Amino acid sequence: MKHLFVAPLLALLPITGCATEVIPFGHEASWQERQYRTTLPAPFGGVQITIAADNSGKTTSVRIHTDVGEVALPVGVLEQLTNVSEPQITYGEVGKATPAKISAFAVHVEFGELVYSEKYKESFRSIAGWRVDESMTIQNFEVVNFQ
């Protein structure tokens, strides 16, 4: 019976020995591939974006797979993209109801190093964006720099 009262009291005491050692950090392992999944209206359905990079952060491939098909960014475009962020997908029009069917969607990613903009008095990364249509064609690839 005495143990029933002692055990809860011990649980309330701080365990100081657990937090005193610093976790040693070593070499950082960079991600070689990241996958993002979402669902869009018909005809695209399930969407998976896979981003692969080498050890220096240079993007080696960006593949987009949907229920309609698959497409990859061309090598010439990939050469511009380093340290790519999580992609953002948009579709339809702001302020309107979610459409039951769409003909295209847009993908945007931040990339590169953080750069201070004198014009905006804030730091930004560059942004790349493009559209993917029903034929799984990449259209309107554009890069925005905030310098």
Side-chain angles (χ1 to χ4, degrees), residues 72-95:
L73 284 179
V75 175
V77 168
L78 293 175
E79 292 171 354
Q80 302 175 54
L81 304 177
T82 58
N83 301 321
V84 174
S85 71
E86 175 179 319
Q88 179 184 33
I89 294 180
T90 56
Y91 62 92
E93 293 182 43
V94 176

Side-chain angles (χ1 to χ4, degrees), residues 84-142:
V84 174
S85 71
E86 175 179 319
Q88 179 184 33
I89 294 180
T90 56
Y91 62 92
E93 293 182 43
V94 176
K96 292 192 175 182
T98 303
K101 184 174 180 350
I102 58 175
S103 60
F105 62 92
V107 180
H108 294 90
V109 295
E110 290 183 340
F111 69 95
E113 300 301 319
L114 202 58
V115 176
Y116 183 76
S117 169
E118 285 293 331
K119 179 178 179 183
Y120 298 107
K121 303 295 183 202
E122 199 171 332
S123 294
F124 297 95
R125 293 176 71 195
S126 297
I127 297 174
W130 61 91
R131 289 173 47 89
V132 178
D133 65 14
E134 288 179 271
S135 65
M136 294 306 291
T137 303
I138 293 176
Q139 303 173 349
N140 306 328
F141 181 85
E142 183 178 13

Side-chain angles (χ1 to χ4, degrees), residues 1-137:
M1 183 75 174
K2 185 163 79 172
H3 296 291
L4 291 175
F5 293 113
V6 174
L9 289 175
L10 288 175
L12 296 174
L13 293 175
I15 303 175
T16 57
C18 290
T20 58
E21 289 188 39
V22 175
I23 298 173
F25 290 104
H27 298 281
E28 183 179 337
S30 30
W31 293 110
Q32 294 174 340
E33 185 173 277
R34 296 172 286 151
Q35 293 183 345
Y36 302 93
R37 296 172 192 250
T38 190
T39 304
L40 294 179
F44 297 104
V47 177
Q48 177 178 308
I49 296 180
T50 305
I51 301 172
D54 63 15
N55 290 338
S56 67
K58 180 182 173 203
T59 305
T60 56
S61 75
V62 175
R63 295 183 314 275
I64 302 169
H65 178 80
T66 71
D67 291 350
V68 176
E70 190 170 328
V71 67
L73 284 179
V75 175
V77 168
L78 293 175
E79 292 171 354
Q80 302 175 54
L81 304 177
T82 58
N83 301 321
V84 174
S85 71
E86 175 179 319
Q88 179 184 33
I89 294 180
T90 56
Y91 62 92
E93 293 182 43
V94 176
K96 292 192 175 182
T98 303
K101 184 174 180 350
I102 58 175
S103 60
F105 62 92
V107 180
H108 294 90
V109 295
E110 290 183 340
F111 69 95
E113 300 301 319
L114 202 58
V115 176
Y116 183 76
S117 169
E118 285 293 331
K119 179 178 179 183
Y120 298 107
K121 303 295 183 202
E122 199 171 332
S123 294
F124 297 95
R125 293 176 71 195
S126 297
I127 297 174
W130 61 91
R131 289 173 47 89
V132 178
D133 65 14
E134 288 179 271
S135 65
M136 294 306 291
T137 303

